[in-house]
Amino acid sequence: MERSARAFWLRAPGEGEVRSVPLPEPGPDEVVVRTLYSGISRGTENLVFRGGVPKSQYEVMRAPFQDGDFPAPVKYGYLNVGVVEHGPPDLLGRTVFCLYPHQTRYVVPAGAVTPVPDAVPPGRAVLAGTVETAVNALWDAGPLIGDRIAVVGAGMVGCSVAAVAAGIPGARVQLVDVDPARAAVAEALGVGFAQPGQAEAGCDLVVHASATEEGLARSLELLEPEGTVLELSWYGDRRVSLPLGEAFHSRRLVVRGSQVGTVSPNRRTRRSFGDRMSLALRLLADPRFDALITGESDFEDLPRVMALVADGELSGLCHRIAYRPAQSRGAVHRPGG
């Protein structure tokens, strides 16, 4: 077994690099995984890349297999799909998902990986961590048959929520975003689309994922009396204003936070983290989710690609990182499905 691997590190805020790292000897209950793909979680990883994690959240924001500490140097990430090269017989040779950073090979406890169903292509499985967030959000919100639902913010998380919510019988689901180009993504996901000024009101539930004050204010405006805004945005070190005047109290509106770091209280006694991840991967058998993968680059290009993403020069939804042999490496590919 190779005793070293290559890993992406944030050397300093705004500066990434690929380093050689030692690969430990696996124990009897551990697996060695060779990475096939990883994914950039734009919102959170952008925040980490620019050094925007508040000191008060350093421990809360730690990724499961993070090395280093905020703000830097740190090895961060949690969307990784690979093949088990060494481990228990039931996992050997299996394609698995793991909440691991961007690294060519790694050693983790066998319980930290989740087998990818045969019906899910490995390249699509990088979305599992994001779809898991969507599952937990809808467990928190508890939408009912026939509910009118808006999702404000058509990023990776918002699109994943809309795609999952579209499966609720009789539900009216509309994706809301300032970018009219997101209409094509909404169509591929089988949900409606509107820019904020044209969004349909009278919602029982609005899921907010735009990470903007304007988006949060519009979310409240779209609610029916006694409706709920489920807040999924992560603002990091930014302060936001919430409009709680005018009709907020008379309409008895609710703003509720949701975060994937804990299983929703609505399921906590009956579902584990592993159950939630397995469900997310089963949902990814649906090819509609391919619309969320909008670009692909090679692993060794990740420092440059991450800087482009952070600067807004490389837009889109999920940017996938491919771990290819040296002879087949290329530049940024658009689009990637």
Side-chain angles (χ1 to χ4, degrees):
M1 189 186 79
E2 292 185 34
R3 298 298 181 194
S4 65
R6 302 275 286 165
F8 174 73
W9 278 75
L10 179 65
R11 180 175 60 235
E15 299 178 16
E17 65 180 0
V18 173
R19 300 180 183 177
S20 290
V21 296
L23 204 60
E25 181 73 23
D29 297 319
E30 293 184 316
V31 293
V32 180
V33 179
R34 173 175 55 85
T35 304
L36 299 174
Y37 298 99
S38 60
I40 297 173
S41 179
R42 286 178 181 266
T44 306
E45 290 195 57
N46 273 349
L47 196 72
V48 172
F49 190 78
R50 68 176 178 83
V53 178
K55 289 184 178 181
S56 64
Q57 298 299 299
Y58 279 4
E59 287 304 312
V60 175
M61 282 289 295
R62 286 192 70 87
F65 295 100
Q66 173 181 324
D67 279 340
D69 297 298
F70 299 123
V74 65
K75 184 178 74 176
Y76 193 87
Y78 47 81
L79 302 176
N80 191 299
V81 176
V83 174
V84 175
E85 294 189 320
H86 174 91
D90 61 324
L91 287 174
L92 196 60
R94 293 289 303 272
T95 301
V96 295
F97 178 87
C98 186
L99 295 167
Y100 203 88
H102 308 280
Q103 184 166 312
T104 56
R105 276 182 172 81
Y106 53 92
V107 177
V108 293
V113 302
T114 305
V116 175
D118 292 339
V120 180
R124 189 189 303 155
V126 296
L127 297 168
T130 309
V131 174
E132 183 189 23
T133 300
V135 167
N136 206 59
L138 292 173
W139 280 353
D140 274 336
L144 301 176
I145 291 173
D147 270 2
R148 294 155 295 186
I149 302 169
V151 182
V152 177
M156 284 176 63
V157 171
C159 286
S160 295
V161 171
V164 176
I168 300 169
R172 182 197 81 189
V173 182
Q174 186 172 65
L175 197 56
V176 180
D177 199 272
V178 296
D179 183 0
R182 290 288 192 262
V185 179
E187 183 178 6
L189 296 177
V191 301
F193 176 81
Q195 292 182 270
Q198 288 73 50
E200 294 186 67
C203 295
D204 304 289
L205 169 67
V206 179
V207 179
H208 180 236
S210 81
T212 65
E213 288 187 7
E214 295 82 5
L216 181 54
R218 185 61 178 142
S219 296
L220 287 169
E221 293 170 352
L222 296 176
L223 287 176
E224 277 280 280
E226 300 192 352
T228 296
V229 169
L230 190 77
E231 178 61 275
L232 284 181
S233 299
W234 170 240
Y235 299 96
D237 56 358
R238 289 186 294 134
R239 289 184 175 271
V240 297
S241 297
L242 182 62
L244 300 182
E246 299 184 356
F248 177 81
H249 290 284
S250 63
R251 296 173 65 213
R252 298 176 60 84
L253 302 182
V254 175
V255 179
R256 182 178 180 184
S258 178
Q259 209 276 337
V260 75
T262 57
V263 175
S264 168
N266 293 332
R267 294 292 184 275
R268 195 173 298 162
T269 61
R270 305 187 299 279
R271 298 290 190 276
S272 66
F273 285 99
D275 293 332
R276 191 177 66 186
M277 182 61 77
S278 294
L279 173 57
L281 281 162
R282 293 198 303 274
L283 291 171
L284 282 168
D286 191 330
R288 291 181 304 143
F289 284 98
D290 284 335
L292 305 190
I293 299 173
T294 54
E296 183 177 289
S297 300
D298 296 320
F299 169 70
E300 294 290 340
D301 285 336
L302 192 46
R304 180 178 66 89
V305 169
M306 197 65 228
L308 291 173
V309 170
D311 290 343
E313 296 181 40
L314 191 59
S315 59
L317 295 170
C318 179
H319 196 85
R320 188 168 61 195
I321 304 301
Y323 294 68
R324 285 184 273 258
Q327 61 270 24
S328 62
R329 291 176 188 157
V332 174
H333 306 281
R334 289 183 177 173

